[in-house]
Amino acid sequence: MTQSRWARRAATDAAMTWLCGLAVAVTLVPLVSLLWMVVARGASALSWSFLTSLPKPVGEVGGGVGNGIIGSALLLGLAATIGLPVGIGAGLFLAARGDGTAGRTVRFLAEILAGVPSVVAGLAVYALLVRPMHRFSALAGSLALAILMVPMLARGTEETVRMVPRDLFEASLGLGVAEWKSGLLIVARTAAGGITTAVCLALARAAGETAPLLFTALGNQFWNLRPDQPTASLPVLIFNYAVSPYPDWQKQAWGAALLLLVLVGVLNAAARLATRGRFAGGGR
Amino acid sequence: MTAPSRPVVGVAALSAGFGDRTALRDVSLALEAHAVTAIIGPSGCGKSTLLRCLNRMHELGAGAWVRGRVTLDGDDLYGPDVDAVQVRRRIGMVFQRPNPFPTLSIRDNVAAGLDLNGFARAERDDRVEAALKQAALWNEVADRLNRSALALSGGQQQRLCIARALAVEPEVLLMDEPASALDPIATARVEELIHELKDRLTLIVVTHNMQQAARISTRTAFLYMGELVEYDRTEALFTNPKERRTEDYVTGKFG
């Protein structure tokens, strides 16, 4: 009697362990095969001129994605300039005053914004900025990316700031330090590692976005550093090259995809490093 | 109750609470300068609330209210044009759990109040050293001022927090059960420190440990259910209490 029950439990245990392993495999196989495919096909496209030169017209061999790399950097830089103050500011507000009506409203709106499909953010910026300016521009692309970053930043900031023990805030107040200074220079500084993580994750997300850039930053065959001009970017370049019928372009799409993957990987690694060793929550 | 020789903090008809809950009811007492006053009483009797009313920390809680008067050297601390931040600069606070700033070094922790209040950088190191010496911590940390404050033991951390409070040179230091999270040896050191510090400033110590109150204080206030039951010289309160409730509490019949 007890022996058969024991055997049944052991069998269930083995089956469940096996199913969990299967779930892990099902998750990892597409990821690993995708990484492998990008690396295998992209690596052959990489060269110094691929990184530094402009695209060549159809029919000519060679050319690179240098303008896409610079363009992505410009877009991310501008998006961070717009998005970081707003997103981190909103997060700090939610952590400090998030329990009132204003706080609940802001949190609700941020959650909705987080659920907005990225293509819709692009459409909104198209109506808000591209139509009035009569021109696609890096600024418009950055604004669309910033809109996607803000809710991620706000949530990440609020969560890490809330993890800082209230003791520290009170300790600072007890020294005769004003509330806003205590919040910013003690509490937010203690949470700086976590906020850096949120920034890296938001940038990684923005770096890979394609849809909101299609009708805002558009794309550009040439170098551009001006915010008011259309700008090339790695994701849009990948999109255009990948759907083209030319084998040489398709190969370059793989190369650009590998570059983008490395960039996002570096940002994610930075996000992990920022919180390693020193935990924002204090304590021992 | 005999009147204190030289009152510095005056509390008159003070009531306080949160929302419709009253934590402190009509408390009046005068606290002696350069002395240690202990506030004792069972959990929830309002002793922490009383302490936090003195440096206007109580009002930070949601729905908090305060009625009555608190004076420091004759100045009304709840006056219409009094800034709570300025009050906290004159009346410092040490908390139950050691709470050094985790991202700052030992030196920067002590200097935090100076830095954040915009004091001159010139005398920074001197004031850090002076505060650490006053807190009897200098000899233990002089060779590692740049190390993280979290590397210190719990008792050292608490003395660091005391040094941090002393560095801004307050007139009064409030201590909310400053030794209750510490081991007996660290507790003894903090008590010794309290004894030394009363030459320099006025100390008000909340404790739930009656032996500790008897050891460290010149006067003791006994609070029960938000009311001040008895306030007297410590020796008199413990050996010859006038109120029945005080006697029951100090002899361990309840609490």
Side-chain angles (χ1 to χ4, degrees):
Chain A
M1 179 66 182
T2 47
Q3 232 172 14
S4 80
R5 193 180 289 171
W6 164 243
R8 201 176 66 230
R9 283 178 187 172
T12 311
D13 179 44
M16 286 301 167
T17 307
W18 197 82
L19 279 174
C20 287
L22 187 70
V24 170
V26 168
T27 315
L28 284 182
V29 163
L31 177 69
V32 169
S33 64
L34 184 141
L35 284 176
W36 171 246
M37 207 148 83
V38 172
V39 171
R41 298 210 189 178
S44 63
L46 293 187
S47 68
W48 182 243
S49 77
F50 179 76
L51 297 176
T52 55
S53 52
L54 286 174
K56 290 256 171 76
V58 180
E60 284 187 46
V61 182
V65 296
N67 60 338
I69 296 172
I70 298 294
S72 268
L74 174 68
L75 285 168
L76 282 182
L78 282 173
T81 310
I82 305 167
L84 294 194
V86 179
I88 294 176
L92 292 177
F93 170 77
L94 287 175
R97 298 271 186 277
D99 301 323
T101 317
R104 280 199 300 274
T105 312
V106 171
R107 192 177 293 112
F108 180 66
L109 292 176
E111 273 165 19
I112 293 182
L113 195 57
V116 166
S118 58
V119 69
V120 176
L123 268 177
V125 172
Y126 180 80
L128 279 173
L129 214 60
V130 176
R131 289 288 298 271
M133 285 174 73
H134 299 290
R135 180 193 283 165
F136 297 102
S137 64
L139 185 67
S142 306
L143 186 61
L145 294 181
I147 289 174
L148 299 172
M149 286 168 70
V150 162
M152 290 183 74
L153 290 167
R155 183 183 300 173
T157 303
E158 184 191 355
E159 276 171 8
T160 45
V161 170
R162 273 184 189 267
M163 272 180 5
V164 176
R166 191 173 161 81
D167 284 13
L168 296 180
F169 183 59
E170 296 204 331
S172 177
L173 292 179
L175 294 171
V177 178
E179 263 187 82
W180 69 269
K181 256 190 190 174
S182 304
L184 220 52
L185 298 179
I186 295 297
V187 179
R189 193 201 305 188
T190 307
I195 295 174
T196 310
T197 300
V199 169
C200 291
L201 292 176
L203 281 174
R205 156 102 199 266
E209 280 293 345
T210 318
L213 295 178
L214 288 174
F215 31 79
T216 52
L218 188 68
N220 193 329
Q221 293 299 304
F222 303 103
W223 302 106
N224 173 51
L225 280 173
R226 283 179 56 179
D228 62 336
Q229 294 295 324
T231 301
S233 62
L234 284 175
V236 172
L237 221 136
I238 295 168
F239 174 72
N240 287 333
Y241 280 12
V243 297
S244 78
Y246 315 110
D248 195 47
W249 276 17
Q250 289 168 6
K251 190 179 131 196
Q252 292 194 10
W254 284 108
L258 179 57
L259 279 184
L260 192 58
L261 210 65
V262 170
L263 171 69
V264 172
V266 166
L267 283 170
N268 276 299
R272 287 190 168 273
L273 275 178
T275 35
R276 204 171 67 176
R278 200 156 62 182
F279 177 57
R284 285 148 50 80
Chain B
M1 300 184 198
T2 53
S5 54
R6 197 157 66 81
V8 61
V9 176
V11 177
L14 187 74
S15 296
F18 297 96
D20 53 6
R21 207 177 71 85
T22 301
L24 209 59
R25 211 182 304 272
D26 201 24
V27 169
S28 299
L29 75 170
L31 299 158
E32 204 171 332
H34 291 282
V36 181
T37 303
I39 303 174
I40 60 167
S43 299
C45 71
K47 49 192 195 298
S48 286
T49 305
L50 173 60
L51 201 68
R52 293 168 67 89
C53 282
L54 299 184
N55 72 341
R56 298 193 56 177
M57 293 278 273
H58 171 72
E59 68 206 47
L60 294 167
W65 54 269
V66 181
R67 276 198 305 270
R69 231 171 109 81
V70 181
T71 54
L72 173 59
D73 261 341
D75 304 336
D76 182 2
L77 298 184
Y78 283 88
D81 49 355
V82 174
D83 182 1
V85 174
Q86 296 300 327
V87 170
R88 294 181 203 127
R89 246 174 249 183
R90 297 178 67 190
I91 306 185
M93 192 160 192
V94 173
F95 300 79
Q96 185 171 0
R97 267 182 37 200
N99 54 2
F101 299 129
T103 56
L104 300 184
S105 67
I106 292 169
R107 176 189 281 116
D108 292 347
N109 256 284
V110 179
L114 303 174
D115 295 346
L116 295 171
N117 286 323
F119 276 81
R121 306 283 294 181
E123 42 182 330
R124 188 174 185 261
D125 282 353
D126 293 339
R127 289 182 74 161
V128 167
E129 183 175 338
L132 283 169
K133 280 179 174 162
Q134 286 165 32
L137 191 58
W138 175 254
N139 291 336
E140 290 157 64
V141 300
D143 56 340
R144 44 181 175 154
L145 291 173
N146 293 322
R147 295 265 300 277
S148 164
L150 295 183
L152 299 175
S153 72
Q156 287 173 324
Q157 285 188 20
Q158 190 63 308
R159 278 181 283 142
L160 180 69
C161 293
I162 293 171
R164 182 176 66 185
L166 292 173
V168 294
E169 297 183 351
E171 297 155 52
V172 178
L173 189 59
L174 310 175
M175 302 178 121
D176 192 355
E177 305 195 17
S180 66
L182 306 180
D183 64 59
I185 292 167
T187 301
R189 300 212 60 168
V190 168
E191 288 182 6
E192 206 175 306
L193 184 56
I194 290 171
H195 199 69
E196 288 164 16
L197 284 174
K198 73 177 175 204
D199 295 337
R200 200 174 293 277
L201 66 163
T202 301
L203 292 117
I204 303 165
V205 183
V206 160
T207 176
H208 58 209
N209 179 330
M210 283 176 283
Q211 286 78 14
Q212 184 172 63
R215 283 193 299 266
I216 61 173
S217 67
T218 25
R219 303 181 72 87
T220 298
F222 171 56
L223 255 61
Y224 184 61
M225 308 260 288
E227 285 171 32
L228 179 66
V229 175
E230 191 163 351
Y231 175 47
D232 208 340
R233 285 187 307 105
T234 300
E235 206 190 323
L237 187 130
F238 278 100
T239 55
N240 190 17
K242 294 184 178 64
E243 292 278 333
R244 182 63 192 268
R245 280 177 297 176
T246 311
E247 188 178 346
D248 287 351
Y249 184 69
V250 298
T251 53
K253 287 205 177 119
F254 75 95

